[in-house]
Amino acid sequence: MTALQNVSLGAHYVVHLPRPDDFAFWRERARQLIQCDVPPDRVSWVEPGGTGDLFAFEGPQGSSARGEKRLPVPGADAGEVRASKRFMHLTRNASVHSDPERFSLLYRVLWRLQSQPGMMQDSADIDVRRIEELDKEVRRDAHKMHAFVRFREVESEDGEHYVAWFEPDHHIVRREAGFFMRRFANMHWSILTPRGSIHWDGEVMREGPPARREDAPAGDPVEALWKSYYASIFNPARLKVGAMLSEMPKKYWKNMPEAELIPQLIAGAQAREAGMVAAGAREVRESPKSLEAIAQGISACRDCPIAECGTRAVMGEGAPGASLMIVGEQPGDQEDLAGRPFVGPAGQLLDVYLDKAGIDRKSAYVTNAVKHFKFVSRGKRRIHQTPQAKEIDTCRFWLEAEREVVAPRVVLALGASAARAMLGRTVSLAKERGVPVPLEDGSELWITAHPSYLLRLDGEARATQEQLFARDLAAVQGRLSELAA
């Protein structure tokens, strides 16, 4: 028996897909039809809500598998179906595009691949170019969903629940659910769209029917903080309206709380830029002469946007005459809440390694390069954001003031941000860690990794970095002993 023995000569076939994004279903039926040698012009692919070919073989109305019974069945001697890796890679995205002709296009290309295995490398081929266009448009839609979904908190019987509204151009909702599940694993959330809904309760992902815009909340109390932060990081000196509209099309603005600020921020950009220039040209201030004066100064400081985040300024702590000053990057979430440096997980790990090296933290002065906590809100979580070079350089005034008062003989910089704050330039940890760097006042700078970096590692990589961290601290302790002798 050959494959064609099961095919009705001259017949047309229709395949009803159960879902518009069911790539696995399409792939299975496409393989079956290819093995039965059914050419593309004799197959109609119909997604839910679409219309089929009036002259094609179909199954009973109302069945989810209409047309299945009359599709030809490959014989036992049917050959393998050839599909290149590039075709499979592009097809997964192209299959969820909203173009109703996409499945016919994919089947036509799969048909041609059986006799032209290298055709996917021909960028001039009109079918290949169309698949590439579909792939690109779907990837762009997914990127916008990742960037512009805004959750709002709602009251529910199970406690905190976050709901977002999004309008995708293509059938990407189910496929992108995994991205949000991984990013917001500890939150209970729902994403509502006109193409369907997904719901996550911390353990199970559920699908729901299409929703309406009014089913999602219009705002929540956290948005005031988020808009304040967005306005503070809006840099008028780097404003390019055309590029911004390209990356953040206006169609998404109605779902983004910060979007209502954009027109006024653009309108006031020129005045703000002039203000920044004027601030940069401010007169040299006199350095505070005591730690108390520095603490008052950083609490009132608004020289950089981080201070507008609504967090407290975290002052360093320790003895004014300490021989060792330890400088971190910035206070974290727990440091901001406690108002003290290095009390969170990274600080606790630092204490362990200081103890191993024989350094008493109480005898050192511990502070940070940047005095405020820079973060971005994700629901009720505050996610750490690395300070920019400009922000580090601006806060350097206060770090220098602390150094003048404490007058340490050795400064230990934890991480690249702290090293930049000390040297005023970008530093390569790999090249400059573990060796003393002379400073203008006669003291020495030693550079090592930040303990939070160790917390992000696992396995062999963490073991290696822990050894290097312990070695660096031991070297600092050895130098302190030499200076004290």
Side-chain angles (χ1 to χ4, degrees):
M1 178 182 293
T2 66
L4 289 176
Q5 285 181 278
N6 288 334
V7 179
S8 299
L9 296 177
H12 290 254
Y13 299 92
V14 59
V15 180
H16 288 267
L17 288 102
R19 294 174 179 272
D21 60 349
D22 201 333
F23 172 72
F25 184 91
W26 172 86
R27 182 176 59 181
E28 180 183 340
R29 298 306 188 271
R31 180 188 294 117
Q32 177 181 344
L33 291 166
I34 291 287
Q35 288 180 318
C36 291
D37 206 24
V38 178
D41 59 357
R42 289 169 52 193
V43 183
S44 295
W45 301 88
V46 183
E47 58 185 291
T51 56
D53 187 337
L54 293 176
F55 303 102
F57 287 100
E58 290 194 72
Q61 291 291 326
S63 168
S64 61
R66 289 189 303 165
E68 294 300 305
K69 293 181 179 179
R70 298 194 180 188
L71 288 185
V73 179
D77 59 344
E80 292 292 327
V81 176
R82 291 190 291 268
S84 66
K85 289 184 179 179
R86 177 168 167 72
F87 172 77
M88 295 303 298
H89 175 72
L90 296 177
T91 301
R92 291 182 185 279
N93 277 337
S95 67
V96 298
H97 197 280
S98 56
D99 185 345
E101 299 298 323
R102 64 191 182 282
F103 289 114
S104 296
L105 167 69
L106 299 179
Y107 184 70
R108 184 166 65 250
V109 173
L110 181 62
W111 169 270
R112 293 179 58 194
L113 278 171
Q114 308 314 301
S115 58
Q116 305 173 52
M119 67 167 289
M120 291 303 297
Q121 307 306 318
D122 182 4
S123 58
D125 186 283
I126 190 170
D127 283 343
V128 173
R129 287 173 56 189
R130 182 55 184 156
I131 290 182
E132 290 175 340
E133 289 172 357
L134 298 182
D135 165 69
K136 182 178 180 180
E137 290 167 8
V138 168
R139 283 190 286 110
R140 180 177 175 80
D141 200 29
H143 170 72
K144 299 303 181 189
M145 185 175 180
H146 296 172
F148 299 144
V149 161
R150 295 288 184 270
F151 287 105
R152 272 112 173 188
E153 185 177 2
V154 297
E155 295 292 335
S156 75
E157 296 179 354
D158 300 326
E160 296 177 355
H161 195 97
Y162 295 86
V163 179
W165 171 256
F166 188 72
E167 298 168 57
D169 290 331
H170 308 293
H171 305 285
I172 62 173
V173 177
R174 289 203 309 154
R175 202 188 58 170
E176 299 306 320
F179 170 86
F180 293 95
M181 183 186 71
R182 292 187 294 274
R183 175 157 292 190
F184 305 110
N186 297 324
M187 292 169 50
H188 294 195
W189 51 259
S190 298
I191 300 178
L192 311 181
T193 86
R195 298 178 182 274
S197 307
I198 50 177
H199 309 273
W200 172 251
D201 64 4
E203 296 181 356
V204 178
M205 184 76 72
R206 293 183 295 106
E207 297 178 30
R212 301 171 302 171
R213 174 68 184 87
E214 51 267 34
D215 295 330
D220 71 6
V222 180
E223 286 189 3
L225 179 61
W226 164 244
K227 287 192 284 190
S228 174
Y229 172 71
Y230 181 82
S232 70
I233 64 172
F234 190 89
N235 189 344
R238 301 181 66 181
L239 176 62
K240 294 182 179 179
V241 177
M244 186 182 71
L245 291 177
S246 176
E247 276 301 307
M248 189 189 294
K250 281 192 171 181
K251 62 174 286 187
Y252 300 107
W253 285 24
K254 59 182 177 295
N255 302 322
M256 301 165 61
E258 68 272 28
E260 66 182 59
L261 303 175
I262 292 176
Q264 66 189 64
L265 289 172
I266 292 175
Q270 188 172 4
R272 285 192 63 196
E273 184 177 2
M276 290 170 64
V277 172
R282 65 178 177 266
E283 294 181 358
V284 176
R285 292 174 291 185
E286 183 178 355
S287 179
K289 301 304 180 186
S290 70
L291 295 178
E292 291 76 12
I294 295 171
Q296 293 176 2
I298 63 174
S299 295
C301 179
R302 296 295 182 269
D303 288 349
C304 79
I306 303 179
E308 303 293 341
C309 286
T311 58
R312 72 170 75 184
V314 178
M315 180 65 181
E317 65 179 21
S323 58
L324 172 64
M325 171 183 275
I326 301 174
V327 183
E329 180 192 83
Q330 64 169 338
D333 182 77
Q334 295 190 30
E335 284 79 10
D336 174 58
L337 296 174
R340 294 181 56 208
F342 281 96
V343 296
Q348 295 167 18
L349 185 63
L350 174 64
D351 289 346
V352 171
Y353 279 88
L354 287 175
D355 186 61
K356 288 182 179 179
I359 300 174
D360 182 4
R361 172 170 165 166
K362 295 180 180 177
S363 68
Y365 183 87
V366 182
T367 189
N368 284 294
V370 175
K371 307 306 181 188
H372 286 82
F373 176 33
K374 182 179 182 181
F375 67 93
V376 62
S377 294
R378 299 269 170 74
K380 287 194 173 180
R381 299 176 60 201
R382 302 192 298 176
I383 307 300
H384 166 274
Q385 297 285 291
T386 301
Q388 297 176 357
K390 177 67 176 177
E391 294 161 343
I392 296 172
D393 294 344
T394 300
C395 215
R396 193 180 181 195
F397 172 82
W398 301 112
L399 181 62
E400 289 298 315
E402 286 179 288
R403 280 187 61 207
E404 290 180 13
V405 174
V406 177
R409 303 185 72 178
V410 173
V411 178
L412 174 62
L414 305 176
S417 294
R420 180 185 176 87
M422 290 299 304
L423 298 176
R425 60 174 172 81
T426 300
V427 172
S428 169
L429 289 184
K431 295 180 179 178
E432 301 189 50
R433 71 183 300 172
V435 294
V437 179
L439 299 176
E440 292 181 354
D441 64 353
S443 61
E444 295 177 0
L445 172 67
W446 291 69
I447 301 171
T448 187
H450 196 285
S452 63
Y453 173 60
L454 305 182
L455 293 173
R456 296 195 296 269
L457 299 176
D458 291 313
E460 184 177 348
R462 176 162 179 165
T464 300
Q465 289 301 320
E466 286 178 338
Q467 290 178 358
L468 292 174
F469 191 63
R471 183 202 64 183
D472 292 344
L473 265 59
V476 169
Q477 167 56 15
R479 183 56 179 155
L480 287 169
S481 299
E482 290 178 3
L483 294 172

